[in-house]
Amino acid sequence: MIKYHAGESFLHKLDPRVKIIMLLILTILVFVTRNFPVLGLVFLLIMICWKVSGISIRELGGYLKLLVGLVLFVVLIQTLFQGGETILISPIIPDFVPLIGGMGSIAVEGVLFGLLLGFRLMVIMCLMPLIIMTTRVRDLALGFVKLGLPYRYAFMITTALNQVPVLQEQIATITDAQKLRAFTAFEDGGTLQKLKSYPALVVPLVMGSMKKSTLIGTAMDVRSFGSRPKRTYLHDIAMHGADWVFLCFILAFCAGMFTLNVML
């Protein structure tokens, strides 16, 4: 779901530092705004970037399916527990129910705030894969370093991103191995049966991940990782005119959205 897609689009050629700054600023903007119009404009910008990147929106399909349950849960929790003045339903629990009868209420403010949080999550989850799918991991690490992040931390971030596709392949392999043993709970079983069957998937996945992390640590030690304070790079990055223009556009857009958020 989050792997580099080769391409020659403007977004692919953009300097990784610009994309990292774009990710950070838009994320801050999304979390501080409390207005649907502002979030809608940010979401529109992200969709335009998806179009420019040349990557099909369908690539987000599986990613967003995982997000739907979380969004619905957040909306439900905020609806039930966020108070407000404009009451829609009160009480939630009928009066004739013993002990807890007459408790709870649903307010318009709670529903709107839950929808706002859900929209925030959706916007962020559409932005992050866009940056990762249009940037090579080596360039992403170099971008973090050029922005002042110590290489150790940049290496940790990019290594974690590299491991996501590997974990996905391992999950597919383990699932296929279980199918060969006539274990069909993940396909044909009910919800409770699937929950009971997850240890058969999680245990080998965790054991394989621990073994792989040990091998990565050994390989780093063999190559004297971190032995020198200053590191050199085979491939370098440099800002060009288009990078500066797009960076100014993003800064101006975010400044305008901050102002609009305050005005609304």
Side-chain angles (χ1 to χ4, degrees), residues 55-76:
I55 302 175
S56 175
I57 299 295
R58 295 179 181 177
E59 295 289 341
L60 274 174
Y63 196 70
L64 293 179
K65 285 180 181 178
L66 299 176
L67 183 64
V68 169
L70 178 61
V71 170
L72 293 177
F73 176 76
V74 169
V75 173
L76 178 62

Side-chain angles (χ1 to χ4, degrees), residues 174 178 183 186 193-205:
I174 295 170
Q178 297 289 5
F183 189 78
F186 294 114
Q193 189 176 0
K194 288 180 180 180
L195 291 175
K196 291 181 179 179
S197 304
Y198 268 107
L201 174 64
V202 173
V203 172
L205 180 64

Side-chain angles (χ1 to χ4, degrees), residues 80-126:
L80 294 177
F81 296 101
Q82 181 76 19
E85 297 180 356
T86 310
I87 304 298
L88 286 177
I89 301 175
S90 181
I92 299 177
I93 303 174
D95 294 329
F96 59 81
V97 178
L99 299 179
I100 59 174
M103 296 179 61
S105 64
I106 295 178
V108 173
E109 291 81 2
V111 175
L112 291 177
F113 190 66
L115 293 174
L116 180 68
L117 291 183
F119 197 11
R120 283 175 177 173
L121 287 175
M122 182 176 295
V123 173
I124 293 299
M125 292 306 165
C126 289

Side-chain angles (χ1 to χ4, degrees), residues 223-239:
R223 290 169 174 79
S224 300
F225 180 83
S227 60
R228 293 179 179 272
K230 187 175 181 181
R231 181 182 175 88
T232 58
Y233 302 92
L234 179 62
H235 303 279
D236 202 359
I237 55 176
M239 295 281 288

Side-chain angles (χ1 to χ4, degrees), residues 11 22 46 49-50 53 126-135:
L11 210 60
M22 172 184 172
I46 295 172
C49 290
W50 270 101
S53 70
C126 289
L127 174 62
M128 294 180 64
L130 176 65
I131 303 300
I132 297 171
M133 289 180 179
T134 58
T135 313

